[in-house]
Amino acid sequence: MYSDKEKLTTANITDIMQTAYIDYSMSVIVSRALPDARDGLKPVQRRILYAMMREGLVHNRPFDKCAGVVGEVLKNYHPHGDSSVYDTLVRLARTG
Amino acid sequence: MRYQLIEPQGNFGSVDGDPPAAYRYTECRLSEVSSELLADIDEDTVDFIPNYKESTTEPTVLPCALPHLLMNGSTGIAVGMTTNIPPHNLNELVEATCLIIDKPSATVEDLEKIIIGPDFPTGGVINGKDGIKQYLRTGRGIIRVRGVAHTEEMKNGKEQIVLTELPYNVNRSSLVKHIAQLCTDKVLDEVSDLRDESDENTRVVIELKRNENPKVVINKLYKHTNFENSFGVILLALDKRRPKQMNIRELLECFVEHRRDVVTRRTRFRLRKAEDRAHILEGFKIALRNLDDFVKIIRAATNRDEARVKLMAKYGLSERQAVAILDLRLYQLTGLERDKIEAEYRELMALVEELRSILSSELKLLTLIKKELRDAAKKHIGPRKTKVSAQEGDLSMEDIVANEGCVVTVSHAGFIKRTPVAQYRLQKRGGKGTKGAELSKAASDDDSDFIEHLFTANTHDHILFFMNNGRVYVEKVYEIEEANRASRGKSIARLLELKDDEKLAAMVCVSNFEEGKFLMMCTANGTIKKTEISKYANYRKGGIIGINIEHGDRLISTKLTNGDNEVVMISQSGMSIRFHESDVRSMGRDTTGVAGMRLDTGDQVKAMEVVDPACTLLVVGIDGIGKRTPFDDPETKEPVYRKQTRGGKGVIAIATEVGVAGALSVQEEDEVMLLTKGGQSIRTKVSDIRCTAGRNTKGVRVMRLKDGEALLGISKVERSDEEEENAAKPQA
């Protein structure tokens, strides 16, 4: 998809790979894989709990479809795959 | 999750590893624990950031009234770093947090006393405290988690092992599969049946074959399967958006700091709200005090704005107050409502006072944090599920080898084997005997092999192998290859790495090298030596010197004594000498010994026995004729074999022309094994051999020998519990 208006500069591929990889790894560390020391939640877990609270799915209300929760989380908070949200939800609900 | 954050409805999977139902089939809602994590979120307690499409906001962290990170743990693999935090018991965490708040100088060691270790939702037992200590102190450590099993006795008398708890994160069905695989691979050949009877509680039943030791099987499960699992703890979490490995104290401090932040922000928020309300109420109070004037002004005004401006100008009200006054309803002007406003104002002022004091006093803030923590935790605390046991250490061979009786035989050509004691049949005296060992066919042409030593031992015992040249090798019984009765066994030279000219002379079997026991050694030339057994405890693979043997002599016997025994030496010609062991002083390991018996030319010592008053001395000739004599005459209490001092010629023990094959000190209920040079063996009860009080007599036929056969020796067979059990039941 080249176009005349595109501005191209040459860069060393090793530099690009390095910065890109560091950016990627920091993103994984901070916003995916590691829990926050304060509330012990990873972003996706926090988003599920917060979304469920906003939906009013609290413990003294009737159960509601997981599909709704997954949809809500995907729609407003977590722009990733549905399986990652549902798997996390299942894990939060399991004992053992 | 040790403490569920979401309540499930429907199939969310199981410990058997089957997957949860798809999300269109399942339902959920937040649990009570989650409400504690989310509580106060709308009171400006945490920062919110726009969501990915900036249509709404999401919290960067939850207010989190409970120490959730340690409560439920976490796992995650990032780039270049991983975290693996086990769940803990809430009660312990709350106490530890309160300790940190009360005593900021509290050390990790202080916290260790409160936090016993991880508390997994699946229970189990943590083996060893070192790993726990390590990760609590450094943030990194490995703990070993074992499942829980107990044994049940079945109706038919067999035993079964029941696994009731598995280690954390172990898939039950694959564990069962693995056990089944081990059974077919003969690793777990004690198992006769395996069933998974689990419902919501785990119950895996392992039926054992008759008389198998369940402890050994459980230990094998620990060793070979995930029934013992290791959990590598890494306490890594994001602190101020940076990953950091922390110890338990730092993590709890993070939590306390977070709570301090949340509670402060919440208090400020509430204070702001209260002050706002108070401001408005102050306006109401002014309005109510000058009600008639207010009504007049409002009635005179042409519109709302005019009324507002006029009110503000006359009474110095703020715009907010003026607007609120204008919004008042008429009923609120009644006397009762006026009192209410007054009461609300007083209440509010008290609240403002309280909130201000919290913000200004660190102590009040911390007390509040503690109180809220305890309140939030109260509903969720429960007893520990996982136990912690102090016992440490890897499984040794002793743990996975059953301690059971077996017969160890060593042939003349130097083949050793052990055979379960039950394989030897009990026969009557005078029978022909069962085959004791299949002998080397190659050797049978001229110089046939035969069983030279035979004794019973337990598999956990040590055997001291005394060579004819005085060297001693020590080996565990279970290291000897197990073989059936008819097989030949393994070369002893290979087992012990013997030198060329060494031949086995005697074996002593001991369960340990405790003090106060002695080894009494006797050579063919009549030398005797006594040494404490503890001197042999530091054995080496290449052997140690047990006794110094003079040229032309050889070691023939070694016995265990207790320091107050008497010993009897019996020579080939039928002479015997009996003396107290105190006659022989205890010496070091590398010594020669002293004269024990003076022999005629050509004679040699055949056996040495320890005198036991409850025993009788059985002496059997090469022709199979033997006699049994008590050491002391039962009527006169006089010793049949007279006590002498060592170094004498002795007295006649048996009148025999062919020579003595062996002598044994035996009890009435004992059984003895008689072995011939051809490899025939016979096991007979001692009680079947008549006991004679006379010393100088010939005796009875103990074993009928074929032509050309000669009795090689006799050996005692110790009855194992197992055999007695079998003997008690009628044979089917």
Side-chain angles (χ1 to χ4, degrees):
Chain A
M1 262 69 75
Y2 293 107
S3 70
D4 298 338
K5 283 160 205 144
E6 211 162 28
K7 198 181 158 204
L8 295 173
T9 50
T10 43
N12 191 335
I13 189 161
T14 38
D15 294 343
I16 292 295
M17 288 311 288
Q18 228 159 42
T19 50
Y21 190 68
I22 286 172
D23 286 350
Y24 165 70
S25 54
M26 276 321 286
S27 143
V28 170
I29 287 166
V30 176
S31 59
R32 193 180 301 168
L34 299 184
D36 192 294
R38 295 170 292 175
D39 64 2
L41 294 170
K42 298 179 193 176
V44 58
Q45 297 173 327
R46 192 177 301 122
R47 283 165 174 168
I48 290 173
L49 297 185
Y50 182 67
M52 285 176 78
M53 187 201 80
R54 283 283 169 254
E55 293 280 281
L57 264 179
V58 290
H59 68 91
N60 42 17
R61 292 292 175 77
F63 286 100
D64 202 0
K65 282 268 189 295
C66 290
V69 175
V70 173
E72 176 65 18
V73 173
L74 289 181
K75 178 185 165 223
N76 280 329
Y77 306 103
H78 198 66
H80 300 279
D82 63 337
S83 62
S84 75
V85 175
Y86 186 52
D87 289 352
T88 309
L89 192 155
V90 167
R91 208 171 274 263
L92 290 175
R94 277 181 56 173
T95 52
Chain B
M1 289 283 141
R2 174 72 176 76
Y3 302 91
Q4 254 177 358
L5 295 185
I6 292 176
E7 287 177 29
Q9 171 86 289
N11 172 15
F12 274 67
S14 73
V15 273
D16 279 330
D18 41 39
Y23 53 54
R24 57 183 179 278
Y25 300 115
T26 54
E27 294 187 339
C28 66
R29 68 179 173 205
L30 290 175
S31 70
E32 279 187 73
V33 179
S34 289
S35 344
E36 308 291 356
L37 301 192
L38 289 159
D40 306 333
I41 195 167
D42 288 326
E43 292 189 88
D44 188 36
T45 47
V46 293
D47 291 333
F48 278 77
I49 49 166
N51 68 346
Y52 70 98
K53 55 180 185 181
E54 300 188 351
S55 64
T56 175
T57 54
E58 58 173 323
T60 52
V61 66
L62 298 188
C64 202
L66 297 170
H68 178 253
L69 179 65
L70 288 165
M71 258 168 81
N72 266 332
S74 189
T75 54
I77 303 165
V79 180
M81 57 186 74
T82 57
T83 183
N84 206 16
I85 303 172
H88 292 80
N89 188 281
L90 180 56
N91 198 16
E92 294 169 14
L93 291 175
V94 169
E95 291 310 316
T97 311
C98 289
L99 179 72
I100 286 186
I101 293 173
D102 288 338
K103 193 176 144 208
S105 61
T107 57
V108 180
E109 285 78 8
D110 294 334
L111 298 177
E112 264 169 33
K113 286 178 202 133
I114 300 172
I115 299 175
I116 298 167
D119 189 18
F120 297 109
T122 46
V125 177
I126 294 167
N127 206 23
K129 287 182 174 160
D130 286 358
I132 296 174
K133 258 189 195 160
Q134 214 184 359
Y135 90 75
L136 290 178
R137 288 181 186 181
T138 66
R140 222 174 233 267
I142 294 174
I143 51 169
R144 306 198 71 81
V145 192
R146 287 179 169 185
V148 173
H150 66 268
T151 55
E152 291 173 358
E153 194 159 331
M154 292 189 287
K155 276 191 196 115
N156 57 12
K158 291 201 280 186
E159 280 193 288
Q160 61 183 25
I161 298 171
V162 182
L163 314 185
T164 50
E165 287 173 21
L166 303 184
Y168 190 50
N169 276 346
V170 167
N171 182 324
R172 188 169 59 206
S173 62
S174 47
L175 175 73
V176 173
K177 249 182 233 163
H178 192 188
I179 297 174
Q181 184 61 42
L182 289 176
C183 295
T184 45
D185 291 348
K186 300 269 180 237
V187 178
L188 279 177
D189 49 11
E190 296 91 344
V191 176
S192 67
D193 197 9
L194 174 66
R195 270 170 288 128
D196 188 352
E197 296 178 352
S198 307
D199 40 37
E200 59 267 41
N201 296 314
T202 293
R203 185 180 161 87
V204 177
V205 179
I206 302 171
E207 264 182 40
L208 299 187
K209 290 175 185 161
R210 195 169 290 281
N211 294 321
E212 292 292 355
N213 185 349
K215 223 173 145 103
V216 170
V217 177
I218 291 174
N219 283 333
K220 278 188 179 177
L221 290 178
Y222 288 146
K223 188 179 162 70
H224 296 289
T225 71
N226 276 341
F227 197 50
E228 180 184 296
N229 206 3
S230 65
F231 190 99
V233 180
I234 305 172
L235 302 184
L236 184 82
L238 291 175
D239 181 26
K240 300 183 186 69
R241 289 178 67 79
R242 278 184 190 282
K244 189 175 166 198
Q245 185 180 314
M246 292 182 265
N247 66 27
I248 195 84
R249 187 165 186 274
E250 290 171 298
L251 282 177
L252 288 174
E253 271 173 355
C254 271
F255 172 69
V256 173
E257 211 42 57
H258 176 55
R259 284 307 292 171
R260 189 200 294 264
D261 201 34
V262 165
V263 175
T264 309
R265 285 178 69 161
R266 190 191 62 201
T267 309
R268 275 203 205 113
F269 176 81
R270 286 181 183 172
L271 180 62
R272 210 159 51 234
K273 279 211 125 170
E275 280 171 346
D276 276 357
R277 181 71 185 152
H279 183 64
I280 292 187
L281 288 178
E282 274 160 19
F284 286 171
K285 275 168 69 179
I286 294 169
L288 293 173
R289 239 180 279 128
N290 309 289
L291 194 55
D292 293 339
D293 192 31
F294 267 68
V295 172
K296 213 187 279 169
I297 292 169
I298 295 168
R299 284 185 64 173
T302 47
N303 59 23
R304 190 183 164 121
D305 273 345
E306 197 191 324
R308 180 170 56 88
V309 173
K310 276 191 177 155
L311 284 178
M312 282 166 72
K314 184 159 185 197
Y315 287 96
L317 297 170
S318 72
E319 187 171 341
R320 289 219 334 275
Q321 283 173 324
V323 171
I325 289 166
L326 290 174
D327 284 344
L328 276 178
R329 304 224 179 121
L330 278 175
Y331 80 87
Q332 284 177 301
L333 304 180
T334 59
L336 217 55
E337 288 299 317
R338 283 153 69 176
D339 288 350
K340 260 192 189 167
I341 287 172
E342 200 59 42
E344 190 189 347
Y345 184 72
R346 273 198 304 275
E347 230 168 72
L348 213 53
M349 288 324 282
L351 178 66
V352 168
E353 190 59 33
E354 172 72 19
L355 294 174
R356 286 213 173 106
S357 75
I358 290 172
L359 288 175
S360 61
S361 155
E362 176 80 0
L363 183 70
K364 271 209 155 164
L365 179 70
L366 291 174
T367 314
L368 182 65
I369 292 175
K370 262 189 339 193
K371 182 179 171 292
E372 285 185 4
L373 177 63
R374 286 196 197 273
D375 286 349
K378 202 157 56 191
K379 270 176 279 175
H380 311 292
I381 54 177
R384 286 188 74 83
K385 289 187 176 178
T386 303
K387 290 179 188 65
V388 176
S389 87
Q391 167 204 340
E392 183 76 59
D394 285 331
L395 293 174
S396 63
M397 279 300 279
E398 272 86 353
D399 294 324
I400 51 171
V401 175
N403 197 8
E404 56 190 8
C406 56
V407 176
V408 177
T409 55
V410 182
S411 79
H412 185 73
F415 290 97
I416 187 163
K417 68 164 196 233
R418 68 185 161 96
T419 312
V421 91
Q423 282 202 17
Y424 283 91
R425 269 182 281 150
L426 185 70
Q427 290 184 313
K428 283 272 178 225
R429 171 176 73 89
K432 278 183 75 177
T434 55
K435 199 87 169 164
E438 194 68 58
L439 298 168
S440 158
K441 290 279 179 282
S444 67
D445 292 341
D446 39 26
D447 181 30
S448 53
D449 194 7
F450 53 84
I451 297 294
E452 202 170 65
H453 302 271
L454 177 146
F455 59 91
T456 59
N458 282 323
T459 38
H460 287 191
D461 293 349
H462 299 259
I463 304 183
L464 287 81
F465 295 87
F466 288 85
M467 297 297 128
N468 54 356
N469 65 0
R471 253 192 125 62
V472 186
Y473 297 85
V474 183
E475 199 62 270
K476 287 280 201 167
V477 172
Y478 57 71
E479 297 284 356
I480 301 167
E481 191 185 340
E482 185 175 312
N484 64 20
R485 211 185 56 232
S487 76
R488 202 177 61 162
K490 265 253 161 67
S491 160
I492 197 164
R494 253 201 12 229
L495 176 75
L496 301 176
E497 296 167 23
L498 295 183
K499 299 194 177 70
D500 286 347
D501 54 347
E502 284 176 338
K503 261 201 72 186
L504 190 64
M507 290 186 283
V508 171
C509 187
V510 290
S511 47
N512 52 37
F513 292 95
E514 63 194 358
E515 304 257 332
K517 290 211 165 171
F518 297 90
L519 285 172
M520 194 67 98
M521 282 162 262
C522 152
T523 72
N525 285 354
T527 305
I528 195 151
K529 178 180 109 101
K530 187 170 91 172
T531 307
E532 270 191 57
I533 188 134
S534 53
K535 293 215 160 72
Y536 293 82
N538 297 321
Y539 55 86
R540 276 174 285 130
K541 189 77 193 159
I544 51 176
I545 294 172
I547 176 173
N548 245 331
I549 297 284
E550 283 171 356
H551 185 68
D553 199 0
R554 62 187 165 87
L555 183 70
I556 56 145
S557 175
T558 305
K559 294 282 176 208
L560 205 58
T561 63
N562 62 12
D564 193 34
N565 286 131
E566 289 171 25
V567 293
V568 181
M569 294 165 78
I570 298 103
S571 80
Q572 190 170 19
S573 63
M575 298 297 282
S576 77
I577 185 165
R578 170 179 172 179
F579 52 85
H580 195 267
E581 71 166 296
S582 58
D583 247 13
V584 187
R585 73 189 157 84
S586 175
M587 300 180 214
R589 201 161 44 76
D590 187 6
T591 52
T592 314
V594 294
M597 185 179 197
R598 193 149 47 81
L599 300 163
D600 283 334
T601 324
D603 197 5
Q604 55 172 311
V605 178
K606 214 48 197 178
M608 175 190 62
E609 276 297 338
V610 176
V611 174
D612 179 350
C615 291
T616 49
L617 184 70
L618 175 69
V619 185
V620 186
I622 292 167
D623 50 6
I625 293 175
K627 55 170 277 197
R628 194 156 65 97
T629 326
F631 287 110
D632 300 313
D633 193 295
E635 276 142 42
T636 61
K637 302 291 174 203
E638 284 295 305
V640 174
Y641 292 90
R642 192 171 78 247
K643 239 180 271 186
Q644 294 170 296
T645 48
R646 68 172 175 84
K649 278 194 67 162
V651 294
I652 295 170
I654 182 170
T656 175
E657 287 99 52
V658 287
V660 172
L664 267 185
S665 167
V666 290
Q667 283 186 307
E668 192 70 19
E669 61 271 23
D670 274 344
E671 289 161 23
V672 290
M673 187 85 80
L674 295 97
L675 300 143
T676 69
K677 287 197 174 182
Q680 291 283 105
S681 67
I682 177 170
R683 184 170 164 173
T684 184
K685 282 182 182 166
V686 165
S687 52
D688 290 344
I689 307 165
R690 199 176 66 243
C691 188
T692 51
R695 188 166 45 73
N696 188 2
T697 52
K698 283 189 75 170
V700 297
R701 180 170 298 278
V702 180
M703 183 181 192
R704 193 181 314 277
L705 294 171
K706 283 192 266 188
D707 286 345
E709 271 282 61
L711 195 64
L712 173 88
I714 57 177
S715 176
K716 202 152 74 175
V717 180
E718 272 160 51
R719 288 164 64 91
S720 66
D721 294 349
E722 184 181 319
E723 255 188 309
E724 273 165 28
E725 211 173 273
N726 287 352
K729 287 174 191 152
Q731 289 291 314

